[in-house]
């Protein structure tokens, strides 16, 4: 007999599109949120060196101390937050494990977590796996898809244990302004709930925008939990290294679950992550420059196609494209687009009800592929939906 927890878990919309694409030729995959760049060489070399030197053992649950110290230094340097590497930082298997462990650490069955809709679907899985209840607060294109503090406050109940914010955001690319972040911290303090801040796209931010971490505010550490990762900033998705930082009250019990879940993150990948933080950062700047060019290319190209439109997001590498005028559900549109042109996108409904009427495009792809995708989307939309 299979447990209800697994049987009732919703399937990933991204995964369903993968399956649909099987057997199709000449597919352009704009679904997966993974950088198309390879990991910078200094990081790869540190991994090879660690492997050749025989660092093949488990690390402590919280990760190797040199990495925890490098993460603490990064928090000071980039975010203006002091975390104690001994007690307040845990290295995890990507931000995914950090978030999964967090939900299991914070939630009793029936406890609620408030988050944006549309949302990264894995949050929902993680909350449900922990027996919690996701409470989705819609965000709207008119607000640049930013989560609104008043709407979150209205959703708070006595069962609320945490509010989850993600800036820059997946799937919309939206940023939260510093003022909103400050208000979320105040809200969390007022209602005595945690504020989980997922900052995995922190470095992928454009124009005059700057990332602001809620934990940097005075006294915020008692309520804010910061999650981050090497996956996006350093093109290290496959290495599976992330981290969570919070007060010892949160980290100490979380580490007990870490032992049962996976013991620790890969030791050699952790050593590579030290090189990522302590080595030159120009590769990161170069990747962000390229993402920005691609964002501009795609926003301009898509907005020229009659019947669809997209706002220019301030960060991450996603576009949430409005297809409402075309009169098809996002599922139908994305399916037809894939079958007829080989361009794979994710229907917005896969991210929640508020995502209906949109498709998500990940533009972490080469310029050539993006250009081809634009041409195919253009001819598909013009042919199918020519509004004579
Ligand atoms: N948080 C968000 C918002 C993401 O989009 C992703 C990955 O797509 C993650 C966390 C997980 O990242 P990691 O590779 O570190 O597990």
């Amino acid at each position: 007999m299979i447990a209800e927890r697994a049987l009732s878990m919703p399937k990933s919309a991204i995964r369903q599109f993968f399956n649909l694409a099987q057997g199709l030729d000449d597919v352009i995959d704009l679904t997966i949120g993974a950088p198309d760049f390879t990991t910078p060489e200094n990081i790869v070399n540190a991994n090879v060196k660690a492997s050749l030197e025989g660092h093949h053992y488990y690390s402590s649950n919280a990760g190797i101390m040199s990495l925890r110290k490098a993460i603490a230094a990064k928090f000071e340097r980039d975010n203006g937050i002091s975390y104690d590497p001994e007690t307040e930082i845990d290295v995890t298997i990507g931000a995914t494990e950090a978030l999964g462990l967090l939900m299991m650490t914070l939630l009793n069955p029936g406890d609620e977590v408030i988050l944006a809709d549309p949302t990264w679907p894995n949050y929902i899985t993680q909350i449900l796996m922990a027996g919690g209840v996701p409470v989705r607060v819609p965000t709207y294109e008119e607000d640049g898809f930013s989560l609104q503090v008043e709407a979150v406050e209205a959703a708070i109940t006595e069962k609320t244990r945490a509010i989850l914010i993600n800036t820059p955001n997946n799937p919309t690319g939206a940023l939260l302004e510093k003022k909103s972040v400050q208000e979320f911290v105040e809200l969390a303090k007022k209602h005595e709930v945690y504020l989980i801040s997922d900052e995995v796209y922190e470095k992928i931010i454009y124009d005059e925008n700057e990332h602001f971490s809620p934990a940097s505010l005075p006294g915020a550490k008692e309520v804010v939990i910061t999650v981050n990762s090497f996956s996006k900033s350093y093109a290290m998705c496959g290495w599976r290294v992330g981290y969570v930082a919070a007060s010892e009250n949160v980290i100490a019990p979380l580490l007990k679950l870490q032992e049962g879940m996976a013991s620790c993150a890969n030791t050699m990948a952790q050593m590579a992550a030290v090189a990522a933080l302590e080595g030159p950062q120009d590769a990161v700047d170069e990747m962000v420059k390229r993402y920005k060019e691609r964002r501009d290319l795609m926003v301009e190209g898509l907005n020229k196609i009659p019947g669809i439109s997209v706002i220019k997001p301030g960060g991450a590498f996603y576009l949430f494209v409005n297809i409402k005028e075309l009169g098809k559900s996002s599922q139908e549109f994305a399916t037809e687009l894939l079958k007829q042109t080989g361009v794979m996108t994710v229907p917005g409904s896969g991210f929640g009800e508020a995502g209906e009427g949109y498709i998500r495009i990940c533009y972490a792809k080469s310029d050539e592929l993006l250009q081809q995708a634009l041409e195919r989307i253009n001819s598909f939309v013009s042919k199918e939906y020519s509004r004579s």
Side-chain angles (χ1 to χ4, degrees):
M1 197 120 102
I2 301 300
E4 192 47 37
R5 184 188 304 110
L7 290 175
S8 62
M9 202 57 75
K11 273 197 190 148
S12 147
I14 302 177
R15 199 47 76 187
Q16 286 172 26
F17 266 72
F18 256 136
N19 297 344
L20 262 185
Q22 298 309 310
L24 295 179
D25 292 330
D26 194 19
V27 165
I28 302 178
D29 180 357
L30 306 181
T31 60
I32 293 284
D36 64 319
F37 299 107
T38 53
T39 305
E41 211 172 300
N42 66 307
I43 303 174
V44 177
N45 287 339
N47 177 260
V48 172
K49 184 164 174 282
S51 186
L52 290 173
E53 284 175 355
H55 294 280
H56 303 159
Y57 305 106
Y58 294 118
S59 71
S60 66
N61 294 139
I64 57 174
M65 187 44 87
S66 56
L67 179 55
R68 282 188 272 153
K69 283 188 174 159
I71 291 169
K74 180 255 171 231
F75 272 125
E76 291 275 2
R77 186 175 65 233
D78 294 353
N79 311 101
I81 317 170
S82 290
Y83 281 118
D84 179 351
E86 295 276 354
T87 55
E88 296 183 326
I89 295 174
D90 174 33
V91 177
T92 53
I93 305 175
T96 304
E97 195 210 8
L99 288 156
L101 290 175
L102 260 181
M103 298 310 169
M104 287 193 285
T105 305
L106 304 181
L107 306 180
N108 282 315
D111 285 347
E112 296 173 353
V113 179
I114 301 176
L115 73 176
D117 186 341
T119 191
W120 183 49
N122 291 31
Y123 294 139
I124 305 295
T125 313
Q126 288 152 347
I127 295 166
L128 294 174
M129 275 168 65
V133 179
V135 176
R136 297 162 177 264
V137 170
T139 59
Y140 301 100
E141 190 173 348
E142 303 84 88
D143 302 320
F145 292 110
S146 285
L147 187 61
Q148 303 295 301
V149 183
E150 306 73 39
V152 169
E153 182 154 33
I156 292 179
T157 71
E158 59 193 25
K159 285 277 184 191
T160 308
R161 291 291 163 271
I163 299 164
L164 196 161
I165 57 173
N166 168 223
T167 176
N169 180 272
N170 176 12
T172 62
L175 302 180
L176 281 176
E177 283 180 10
K178 182 174 173 181
K179 184 168 164 287
S180 302
V181 174
Q182 286 167 330
E183 287 169 1
F184 276 119
V185 173
E186 288 315 311
L187 193 66
K189 283 186 180 169
K190 179 172 151 196
H191 293 274
E192 298 183 354
V193 299
Y194 285 105
L195 180 68
I196 302 172
S197 177
D198 178 347
E199 307 186 10
V200 302
Y201 296 102
E202 154 196 45
K203 299 278 177 203
I204 305 174
I205 198 158
Y206 313 116
D207 312 321
E208 69 294 346
N209 296 303
E210 280 178 21
H211 178 74
F212 180 73
S213 295
S216 64
L217 289 165
K221 237 208 247 172
E222 33 176 298
V223 290
V224 178
I225 300 171
T226 311
V227 172
N228 210 326
S229 165
F230 292 84
S231 291
K232 317 288 174 176
S233 312
Y234 296 97
M236 288 176 70
C237 287
W239 296 71
R240 310 308 300 126
V241 192
Y243 48 98
V244 47
S247 67
E248 191 177 355
N249 292 344
V250 173
I251 297 298
L254 184 142
L255 285 174
K256 292 191 284 176
L257 302 185
Q258 167 92 316
E259 172 61 17
M261 189 57 72
S263 293
C264 61
N266 175 314
T267 305
M268 292 163 286
Q270 292 189 55
M271 295 179 90
V274 175
L277 291 178
E278 293 183 346
Q281 301 296 305
D282 18 330
V284 181
D285 299 340
E286 183 56 30
M287 287 188 274
V288 175
K289 192 169 149 251
R290 300 283 299 284
Y291 292 140
K292 179 181 181 302
E293 288 163 4
R294 294 163 178 188
R295 175 200 64 168
D296 293 345
L297 168 85
M298 290 303 281
V299 168
E300 203 191 319
L302 287 165
N303 278 326
K304 281 191 189 143
I305 303 175
I308 64 177
S309 64
V310 62
I311 54 174
K312 195 185 260 193
F317 36 53
Y318 306 104
L319 297 177
F320 215 54
V321 184
N322 187 326
I323 55 155
K324 289 179 185 174
E325 250 190 68
L326 302 175
K328 293 260 176 191
S329 74
S330 59
Q331 179 79 23
E332 284 169 316
F333 180 87
T335 307
E336 285 177 28
L337 181 69
L338 171 61
K339 286 192 176 152
Q340 292 190 35
T341 71
V343 176
M344 268 171 92
T345 59
V346 188
S349 56
F351 302 96
E353 270 176 33
E356 186 47 271
Y358 297 86
I359 53 165
R360 191 194 74 174
I361 283 180
C362 171
Y363 55 84
K365 299 284 160 196
S366 73
D367 295 5
E368 297 71 43
L369 277 181
L370 293 176
Q371 197 66 56
Q372 275 185 38
L374 275 178
E375 283 160 21
R376 293 189 198 183
I377 297 171
N378 187 18
S379 61
F380 170 75
V381 172
S382 328
K383 196 168 90 212
E384 289 287 306
Y385 303 99
S386 51
R387 297 168 304 152
S388 50

